[in-house]
Amino acid sequence: MKEKLKNKTIAYWLGCAAAAVALVGLIVYGVYKGRAGEGTGWVFALIIIGIAAQVALFFYDGKFGGFIALVPPILYFLAMALELSGGVGNIADEISDIVMFGIRELVPLNYAVTALLGIAGIAAIVPCFMTREKQTV
């Protein structure tokens, strides 16, 4: 295992950082849902599958490693879109300064989850264009 960690490049570690940020986003989304936030359970599933795909790249970086690396950013952005669609009422109430569709107190959590999943998605895109293991000559 130590040898496997030694062979990983900065691209792999950037992907791990993206997974860690996504995990924080998952926790914040859980807090949002716990406070009666509008949304779907698919957000949880998409983030967890994205993190699992990143973990899978530790053990496998063969022929299909490039395709596996594409999974996390796609899923993080899909989760972000679903989270935003559930929180649009909250954000609309905050912007219009009336209470009609949502709960204005949840807007900071909507913004936090969106920012975290956006950062995780962007950070997860970069390893798609780089090698994740050092090449031996």
Side-chain angles (χ1 to χ4, degrees):
M1 185 155 142
K2 188 175 182 179
E3 188 64 33
K4 209 152 182 49
L5 285 173
K6 192 183 248 187
N7 285 336
K8 298 298 181 184
T9 64
I10 190 73
Y12 174 78
W13 295 110
L14 187 60
C16 287
V21 171
L23 182 62
V24 173
L26 180 69
I27 293 167
V28 174
Y29 185 72
V31 170
Y32 167 76
K33 286 292 286 180
R35 295 185 63 199
E38 187 73 27
T40 177
W42 278 103
V43 174
F44 289 110
L46 293 172
I47 296 171
I48 291 170
I49 293 169
I51 293 170
Q54 182 60 44
V55 170
L57 286 174
F58 176 76
F59 300 104
Y60 177 79
D61 198 25
K63 185 177 180 181
F64 299 106
F67 294 113
I68 295 172
L70 287 173
V71 171
I74 291 170
L75 295 182
Y76 297 155
F77 285 127
L78 282 174
M80 183 179 75
L82 286 174
E83 182 273 331
L84 274 175
S85 70
V88 73
N90 303 335
I91 297 168
D93 284 358
E94 180 66 26
I95 291 172
S96 65
D97 200 27
I98 61 170
V99 178
M100 181 183 268
F101 300 110
I103 304 169
R104 292 174 67 176
E105 293 79 29
L106 296 180
V107 171
L109 292 173
N110 287 116
Y111 291 153
V113 173
T114 301
L116 289 167
L117 291 179
I119 291 167
I122 291 169
I125 287 174
V126 175
C128 295
F129 300 102
M130 301 168 69
T131 61
R132 288 164 300 283
E133 290 194 6
K134 294 177 183 172
Q135 305 294 322
T136 58
V137 178

